[in-house]
Amino acid sequence: MAARASADMEKLKLSNASKPNGKVAEHGRVGAETGDLKHEDSEDEKDDEGGAADGGATGAAKKKKKRKPKKKKAATGSAKAQSSPPRVLISNLFPNGQYPEGETVEYKNENAFRTTSEEKRHLDRMNNDYLNEYRQGAEIHRQVRQWAQKDIQPGQTLIEIAEGIENGVRALTGHQGLEEGDNIKGGMGFPTGLSINNCAAHYTPNAGNKMVLQKEDVMKVDFGVHVNGRIVDSAFTMTFDPVYDNLLTAVKEATNTGVREAGIDVRMSDIGSAIQEVMESYEVEIGGQSLPVKCIRNLNGHSIVQYSIHGDKSVPIVKGGDQTKMEEGETFAIETFGSTGKGYVRDDMETSHYAKRADAPNVSLRISSARTLLNTITKNFGTIPFCRRYIDRLGQDKYLLGLNNLVSSGIVEAYPPLCDVKGSYTAQFEHTILLRPTVKEVISRGDDY
C-alpha cells in the first residue's frame, strides 16, 4: 500500500550518486518434511538341491535369496500440493505449524555484531510467535500471487481478478470474514489494488465495475495478507507486451535497492537517495519515443504496526532531508513507483479503499446509518483497511451517506486512487521487511520477485 508524501517533496533536488547494485539474493524456500522410509529386508532361504549322480559326492547346495517387496511407511508431515485456484488451508500444508523463513540478510558495519550476539539471539527467540504469524501470512501471499500471475490474462474483468485473489487469501487463512470478528483474526490485510496504466495505487473495482484488462495495460497488483494483525504488504506489476520491460526492471531494481539499503540505524534520506539513483538510470521506449523513468516523488514506503498498515514512519523514494532512522524491531513496507509521466500523483476517480483511524476521535454521529456502519466496521475490520465490496459481502446496503459522514468526521480515512497524468505508465514493486535483532528478514521474498 502506498503512503502519500507531502507536497513539499516536489521541491527536492535530485542527486547523482553512484549506482548501487540492485540485485538481492533469491529467497531459499523451505521444502516439505518427509518421514523416514522403513524397509523390512527379511530373507527366506531355500536350498536348491543339485542333481547328484548315484553314489557320487553330494554337491554344495546352492542358496537362492528371494526378497520380499519393500514396504514403504507412509511419509509423515509431508505437505500436500496447493490447488489451483488456491483453496487448501495453509496450515494443512505445514502441519508442524512452522512456516518458511523469508530471505535473511546479515547487518553490516557497526551492526555486524548482532549476528553472533547472544543477547540479540535471545531477543530473537522471544519473538518466535509473531515471526511465525508473519511467515504464515507471507507464505499465503506467495502462493496466492504465484497462482494469480499464471491465471490473470487480458479479457478478464477487474472484479474477476480481485475476487480470485481475495477468495484465495480467505481460503488459505481459513477466515471467510462473513462472521462477526472473523476478518480481524486473519484474511485480507489490504484490499486488492488493481491500478492500471497512469493510475499508480489504491484502485480496486467497486460493485458493478465493468472494466476489462487489456493486452496493452500495465497493471499494479497490490494486496495484503494478515494473520492476527501481522500484515504482509507486497506488490508486483503485470504486463503483456515486452515494450514495458525496462519500466518494470527499473522499478524492481529500485525496490531491491531499497530493501538492500534498509536496516537498523539507517537514515530514511539515504535509502531514498539510493532508490532514486537506480530508478532514474533507466529509460523506456514506447511508441518510438524514449522516455525517462521517474520516481513518483510523493509516494513512499512506510512502517507497519499490528493491525495498522501505516505506521508513523515513511520511507522516501527520492533524495531528501529526512534524518529519521530505522530501529530494531520495526517492520517496513519498502515500495517504489516509477512513471513515464511527471512523477507526481493526484487523487482521481472513485474512492474504494478505506480504513478506520487508530486515533479516531470520539464524536457524536447524527446520521443513524453512520452509527450503524461504524459498528459494522469496528466489529469486522477494526483498523484493518477494507473496500466497499467487503461491506457489500456483509449484507450492508445504502451505506454511502453514512460512510461519507464517517470520513468527514475524521473517524474513517479514505484512500482515493492516485494517478499521474493521462497517457503515462506507472509500475510498482513492494516487499515487507522485518528488522529482527540479529538479521534483516525480507519476509515476502519469493521465487517470482
Side-chain angles (χ1 to χ4, degrees):
M1 179 178 182
R4 292 283 300 265
S6 68
D8 292 338
M9 296 188 72
E10 283 191 89
K11 301 177 183 177
L12 298 176
K13 296 180 180 179
L14 309 183
S15 68
N16 291 318
S18 59
K19 175 181 176 183
N21 179 8
K23 295 184 180 178
V24 180
E26 284 295 320
H27 158 58
R29 301 297 302 280
V30 176
E33 297 180 4
T34 55
D36 295 333
L37 298 179
K38 190 175 181 180
H39 304 309
E40 296 181 3
D41 290 336
S42 61
E43 300 168 353
D44 291 335
E45 296 178 0
K46 289 188 176 181
D47 291 339
D48 189 5
E49 296 180 358
D54 290 344
T58 303
K62 298 179 181 179
K63 296 183 179 180
K64 185 177 181 182
K65 296 180 179 179
K66 184 177 180 182
R67 289 179 176 269
K68 290 184 178 180
K70 295 178 181 179
K71 296 180 181 178
K72 294 184 179 181
K73 186 178 179 180
T76 58
S78 297
K80 302 174 184 177
Q82 184 53 262
S83 61
S84 180
R87 294 293 183 269
V88 179
L89 191 67
I90 199 71
S91 59
N92 289 346
L93 303 184
F94 296 90
N96 64 357
Q98 297 300 308
Y99 298 94
E101 186 179 49
E103 176 194 39
T104 56
V105 182
E106 294 182 358
Y107 295 118
K108 300 179 294 183
N109 304 326
E110 64 272 13
N111 279 304
F113 78 95
R114 293 175 171 274
T115 305
T116 56
S117 167
E118 285 301 325
E119 179 186 356
K120 298 303 180 184
R121 287 182 177 183
H122 175 69
L123 288 173
D124 216 18
R125 287 191 293 269
M126 290 177 64
N127 293 331
N128 189 60
D129 288 345
Y130 101 87
L131 286 174
N132 208 42
E133 289 171 345
Y134 267 121
R135 290 167 184 164
Q136 182 179 358
E139 183 62 21
I140 291 169
H141 199 288
R142 278 189 291 270
Q143 293 195 15
V144 172
R145 79 184 187 227
Q146 288 173 9
W147 165 80
Q149 289 163 4
K150 297 174 184 176
D151 182 75
I152 295 172
Q153 295 295 330
Q156 291 179 300
T157 67
L158 296 195
I159 284 187
E160 288 176 319
I161 296 169
E163 290 183 347
I165 290 171
E166 290 159 1
N167 289 339
V169 170
R170 292 177 183 126
L172 271 59
T173 58
H175 297 287
Q176 289 298 322
L178 295 175
E179 297 180 3
E180 190 175 284
D182 196 37
N183 275 311
I184 296 177
K185 297 176 183 176
M188 293 300 299
F190 179 70
T192 306
L194 300 174
S195 305
I196 291 179
N197 298 335
N198 67 305
C199 184
H202 298 175
Y203 184 88
T204 196
N206 289 322
N209 186 296
K210 304 296 183 185
M211 191 179 295
V212 175
L213 180 64
Q214 305 296 322
K215 183 179 179 181
E216 62 271 18
D217 286 338
V218 178
M219 183 171 71
K220 281 67 63 184
V221 183
D222 183 359
F223 68 98
V225 177
H226 91 91
V227 176
N228 192 30
R230 309 296 183 182
I231 304 172
V232 176
D233 190 12
S234 188
F236 57 96
T237 300
M238 292 193 70
T239 61
F240 308 92
D241 188 333
V243 73
Y244 305 113
D245 285 356
N246 256 21
L247 173 61
L248 269 62
T249 299
V251 181
K252 185 185 292 186
E253 289 300 307
T255 297
N256 283 337
T257 298
V259 167
R260 188 186 68 244
E261 295 296 319
I264 295 172
D265 296 333
V266 175
R267 297 183 190 278
M268 302 299 183
S269 57
D270 294 337
I271 299 172
S273 179
I275 287 172
Q276 184 176 14
E277 185 67 23
V278 171
M279 178 89 76
E280 298 189 350
S281 68
Y282 284 85
E283 292 184 343
V284 57
E285 186 173 326
I286 300 175
Q289 185 179 7
S290 183
L291 302 169
V293 179
K294 300 176 183 177
C295 292
I296 300 181
R297 58 188 180 275
N298 61 329
L299 291 181
N300 293 331
H302 48 92
S303 58
I304 301 174
V305 296
Q306 189 174 20
Y307 286 110
S308 183
I309 199 163
H310 280 167
D312 58 359
K313 291 185 179 180
S314 294
V315 186
I317 63 174
V318 292
K319 182 182 179 181
D322 187 357
Q323 299 300 302
T324 305
K325 291 183 178 181
M326 292 182 166
E327 299 177 72
E328 178 184 310
E330 291 182 322
T331 301
F332 286 92
I334 304 295
E335 58 182 325
T336 71
F337 297 83
S339 175
T340 62
K342 291 186 176 181
Y344 189 86
V345 292
R346 292 179 171 83
D347 298 349
D348 196 6
M349 301 190 291
E350 185 178 49
T351 301
S352 54
H353 288 52
Y354 300 87
K356 182 183 175 185
R357 296 174 61 98
D359 59 351
N362 185 14
V363 298
S364 178
L365 297 170
R366 297 181 180 181
I367 300 176
S368 61
S369 62
R371 293 194 297 270
T372 301
L373 183 59
L374 178 57
N375 185 55
T376 298
I377 291 170
T378 301
K379 290 182 177 179
N380 289 279
F381 306 109
T383 52
I384 294 286
F386 60 92
C387 66
R388 282 161 54 177
R389 285 184 292 105
Y390 297 0
I391 300 177
D392 298 336
R393 289 182 79 241
L394 296 173
Q396 299 290 313
D397 59 1
K398 299 179 181 179
Y399 56 79
L400 281 181
L401 178 62
L403 181 57
N404 290 333
N405 184 240
L406 292 176
V407 172
S408 63
S409 299
I411 297 172
V412 168
E413 186 81 25
Y415 297 96
L418 304 171
C419 304
D420 204 333
V421 294
K422 290 183 178 180
S424 63
Y425 295 93
T426 60
Q428 171 196 19
F429 281 90
E430 177 181 23
H431 276 301
T432 296
I433 65 169
L434 311 178
L435 299 184
R436 292 166 47 189
T438 55
V439 291
K440 171 174 59 182
E441 183 170 348
V442 189
I443 195 71
S444 56
R445 181 73 77 191
D447 295 334
D448 49 351
Y449 67 91

